[in-house]
């Protein structure tokens, strides 16, 4: 028997207004992409929260593993010189 | 230190630092189980809660009130879906959750086992039941489990409309004819005590409270939230021109809050056990809606299988503003009402018992 358990999970991304990027709003079940879009509209934009929606099957997303978060993101940790505040500029120097 | 001890230490540190626990983080099994229990009960309450109010959609006194009530009932369906999705991040499935609801292995809030006898009940539910829910839920926006907290932020924003429409409805009745005023008062009389019971048993009798607070799932005790709710409601009732049915209700100068009379916990226990006025009816309707919606779910799944390929290819980035693959317009148009679970869950049946 076919049932809702067969419906894949979709992640929903909503652009709240023009000029902003899509952000993750939540997830839902739907049999296909078209229905996922319709359900997303009814579930996540009942109050004009969006002007554009993306849906993507959750299974299609590749994510970093939380267990390896330290080594994975370690390369960025010891490079403070990538931030403007790393540099000392004499007082009174403007527009820098 | 063993691996599990290290994980436990990392978890404890995250909770202590008020960081959020996210789905793929390690968490103690008891924490996971406790969250599933609470979130499932919460989700079930949202969708069962559609029934007492949907009962009045066909008999709303004006088109304005009808549109408002439909929007509110649709919100409740939405809240259920946010919460089911959040619960699923813990490794349970939608099917399993619904099955446990339908077989009585998971509960929903006892408040929805009371009948909505008059139109004024729609107002009393909005003001008192949603008001109590908001008092409970605002602190949950800071719950230690990320997906639950995020769902609650969304829900709390929408609940505010629910509460205000209820208050406005009661105010209109209260200022209406003597019969309308009487109807509003009667609804408040019936819903007041069950609303206070929504905060759960007193702190010394609450099975899960202490551990939930230690895990920062809960931020305040049942009694603390109940007192807060009473303090909020008393002046609101005065503005409505209605009274609260508690002869012991009076301002306590010393403590700076209202004292209120004892709650009849035997009634709460009875309703919890399944002996409330509408327990059977609520579950029957839910099961029937699920069974009668089966063909819709099957048809949608069959359609998806027939049309095969999922849109988008691996590695293909969606062009800005438009998802990869076909847009929905390339498919034959189908009315939204015929598909998905919404149609099933927003049914506007009239309750037989009323």
């Amino acid at each position: 028997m076919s049932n809702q358990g067969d419906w894949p999970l979709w992640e929903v991304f909503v652009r709240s207004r023009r000029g902003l990027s899509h952000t993750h709003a939540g997830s839902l079940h739907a049999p296909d992409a078209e229905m996922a879009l319709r359900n997303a509209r009814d579930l996540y934009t009942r109050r004009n929260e969006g002007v554009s929606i993306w849906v993507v099957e959750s299974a299609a997303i590749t994510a970093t593993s939380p267990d390896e978060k330290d080594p994975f993101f370690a390369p960025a940790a010891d490079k403070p010189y990538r931030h403007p505040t790393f540099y000392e500029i004499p007082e009174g120097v403007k527009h820098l | 230190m063993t691996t599990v001890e290290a994980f436990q230490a990392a978890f404890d540190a995250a909770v202590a630092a008020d960081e959020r626990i996210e789905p793929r983080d390690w968490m103690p099994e008891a924490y996971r189980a406790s969250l599933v229990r609470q979130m499932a009960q919460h989700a079930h309450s949202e969708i069962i809660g559609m029934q007492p109010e949907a009962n009045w959609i066909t008999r709303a006194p004006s088109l304005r009130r009808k549109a408002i009530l439909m929007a509110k009932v649709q919100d409740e369906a939405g809240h259920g879906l946010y919460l089911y999705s959040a619960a699923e991040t813990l490794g349970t499935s939608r099917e399993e959750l619904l099955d446990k609801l339908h077989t009585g292995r998971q509960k929903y809030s006892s408040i929805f086992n009371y009948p909505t006898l008059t139109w004024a009940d729609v107002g009393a539910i909005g003001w008192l039941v949603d008001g109590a829910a908001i008092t409970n839920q605002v602190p949950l926006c800071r719950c230690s489990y990320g997906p639950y907290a995020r769902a609650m932020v969304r829900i709390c924003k929408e609940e505010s409309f629910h509460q205000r429409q209820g208050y406005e409805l009661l105010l209109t009745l209260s200022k209406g004819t003597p019969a309308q005023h009487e109807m509003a008062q009667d609804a408040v009389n019936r819903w007041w005590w069950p609303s206070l019971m929504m905060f759960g048993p007193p702190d010394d009798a609450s099975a899960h409270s202490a551990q939930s607070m230690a895990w920062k799932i809960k931020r305040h005790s049942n009694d603390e939230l109940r007192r807060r709710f009473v303090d909020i409601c008393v002046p609101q009732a005065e503005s409505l021109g209605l009274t609260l049915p508690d002869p012991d209700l009076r301002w306590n100068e010393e403590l700076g809050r209202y004292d209120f009379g004892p709650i009849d916990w035997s009634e709460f226990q009875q309703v919890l056990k399944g002996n409330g006025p509408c327990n059977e009816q609520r579950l029957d309707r839910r099961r029937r809606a699920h069974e009668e919606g089966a063909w819709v779910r099957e048809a949608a799944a069959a359609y998806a299988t027939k049309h095969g390929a999922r849109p988008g290819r691996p590695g293909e980035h969606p062009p800005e503003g438009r998802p990869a693959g076909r847009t929905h317009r390339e498919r034959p148009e189908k009315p939204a009402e015929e598909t998905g679970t919404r149609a099933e869950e927003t049914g506007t049946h009239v309750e037989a018992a009323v």
Side-chain angles (χ1 to χ4, degrees):
Chain A
M1 194 191 109
S2 181
N3 53 42
Q4 202 172 345
D6 298 330
W7 291 7
L9 189 66
W10 301 77
E11 299 300 323
V12 179
F13 298 82
V14 175
R15 184 203 292 287
S16 57
R17 57 187 167 83
R18 302 178 73 82
L20 297 179
S21 47
H22 288 73
T23 44
H24 186 237
S27 55
L28 50 76
H29 288 278
D32 58 23
E34 179 193 354
M35 283 309 305
L37 278 179
R38 284 177 182 276
N39 289 351
R41 176 199 61 188
D42 291 349
L43 190 55
Y44 292 108
T45 62
R46 287 196 299 280
R47 290 174 173 76
N48 291 319
E49 291 97 333
V51 295
S52 165
I53 300 175
W54 289 346
V55 290
V56 60
E57 259 191 76
S58 310
I61 293 178
T62 307
T64 55
S65 156
D67 301 344
E68 63 187 23
K69 70 180 166 194
D70 284 341
F72 193 78
F73 294 105
D78 60 351
K79 297 178 183 62
Y81 46 83
R82 283 176 170 164
H83 297 277
T85 47
F86 180 76
Y87 303 94
E88 285 195 21
I89 304 296
E91 258 185 60
V93 178
K94 289 178 179 170
H95 307 301
L96 200 67
Chain B
M1 202 189 270
T2 66
T3 316
V4 170
E5 280 168 350
F7 282 154
Q8 178 77 49
F11 172 85
D12 292 342
V15 171
D18 256 340
E19 283 177 15
R20 296 291 174 265
I21 306 301
E22 294 295 344
R24 299 173 77 223
D25 291 338
W26 182 92
M27 61 187 87
E29 274 315 304
Y31 176 81
R32 184 184 297 274
S34 186
L35 276 171
V36 169
R37 181 189 54 77
Q38 182 173 341
M39 291 162 75
Q41 176 167 340
H42 198 157
H44 299 330
S45 301
E46 298 285 356
I47 64 166
I48 294 286
M50 297 166 73
Q51 292 184 34
E53 293 184 284
N55 176 36
W56 282 93
I57 289 176
T58 55
R59 292 171 288 166
S62 68
L63 195 55
R64 175 178 181 269
R65 293 289 178 196
K66 185 172 185 167
I68 290 168
L69 187 53
M70 285 197 290
K72 180 179 189 299
V73 173
Q74 193 189 8
D75 272 356
E76 307 298 0
H79 296 177
L81 293 175
Y82 302 154
L83 288 162
Y84 282 123
S85 289
E88 282 175 87
T89 63
L90 291 162
T92 177
S93 73
R94 184 76 52 100
E95 273 213 295
E96 185 185 353
L97 293 168
L98 286 177
D99 188 53
K100 284 185 172 163
L101 169 64
H102 297 156
T103 52
R105 283 177 294 159
Q106 281 174 344
K107 303 233 177 278
Y108 56 88
S109 176
S110 286
I111 193 83
F112 301 115
N113 290 319
Y114 291 88
T116 42
L117 301 178
T118 71
W119 169 252
D121 288 29
V122 172
I125 288 180
W127 175 41
L128 294 174
V129 176
D130 292 316
I134 291 171
T135 307
N136 253 329
Q137 290 170 356
V138 166
L140 284 174
C141 296
R142 294 184 297 121
C143 161
S144 60
Y145 188 57
Y148 194 22
R150 289 192 287 275
M152 292 318 305
V153 169
R154 193 175 276 276
I155 288 173
C156 284
K157 272 186 201 158
E158 300 182 348
E159 287 287 352
S160 173
F161 139 57
H162 297 179
Q163 193 187 20
R164 288 176 68 125
Q165 66 83 33
Y167 193 84
E168 189 209 65
L169 195 166
L170 281 179
L171 188 62
T172 308
L173 287 176
S174 178
K175 288 179 167 173
T177 65
Q180 287 172 326
H181 180 89
E182 180 56 36
M183 188 195 277
Q185 183 64 60
D186 169 62
V188 169
N189 291 349
R190 283 182 290 108
W191 288 95
W192 173 249
W193 290 107
S195 299
L196 291 192
M197 295 177 200
M198 282 177 69
F199 296 93
D203 294 346
D204 49 23
S206 176
H208 307 288
S209 268
Q211 181 60 73
S212 279
M213 286 178 68
W215 279 328
K216 296 189 182 173
I217 295 174
K218 269 179 85 151
R219 297 279 180 164
H220 307 281
S221 79
N222 294 353
D223 287 332
E224 193 182 344
L225 291 168
R226 186 164 18 240
R227 278 197 299 271
R228 187 181 295 178
F229 178 66
V230 171
D231 288 346
I232 289 170
C233 285
V234 174
Q236 289 178 348
E238 280 167 17
S239 299
L240 279 174
L242 299 172
T243 58
L244 297 171
D246 180 355
D248 297 326
L249 195 62
R250 62 178 58 84
W251 179 251
N252 184 325
E253 194 71 54
E254 196 182 327
L255 295 173
R257 66 184 196 217
Y258 286 91
D259 290 333
F260 51 95
I263 293 172
D264 180 5
W265 291 108
S266 62
E267 174 183 323
F268 179 77
Q269 293 302 337
Q270 279 303 313
V271 179
L272 205 61
K273 273 188 209 151
N275 302 324
C278 298
N279 294 56
E280 208 172 314
Q281 181 188 347
R282 300 287 187 240
L283 263 185
D284 280 351
R285 168 139 314 141
R286 179 88 264 292
R287 283 192 214 104
R288 202 170 72 228
H290 192 70
E291 284 158 16
E292 289 175 357
W295 72 271
V296 179
R297 296 190 295 278
E298 284 166 26
Y303 182 86
T305 309
K306 187 176 170 188
H307 291 262
R310 307 240 186 263
R313 287 180 295 278
E316 187 181 58
H317 188 76
E320 279 288 306
R322 178 172 175 272
R326 292 183 285 184
T327 70
H328 65 284
R329 283 191 194 80
E330 291 164 41
R331 293 268 177 97
E333 288 294 319
K334 245 194 316 181
E337 290 75 23
E338 283 179 23
T339 49
T341 54
R342 287 183 321 285
E344 153 215 327
E345 284 170 352
T346 54
T348 58
H349 314 279
V350 174
E351 284 177 294
V354 179

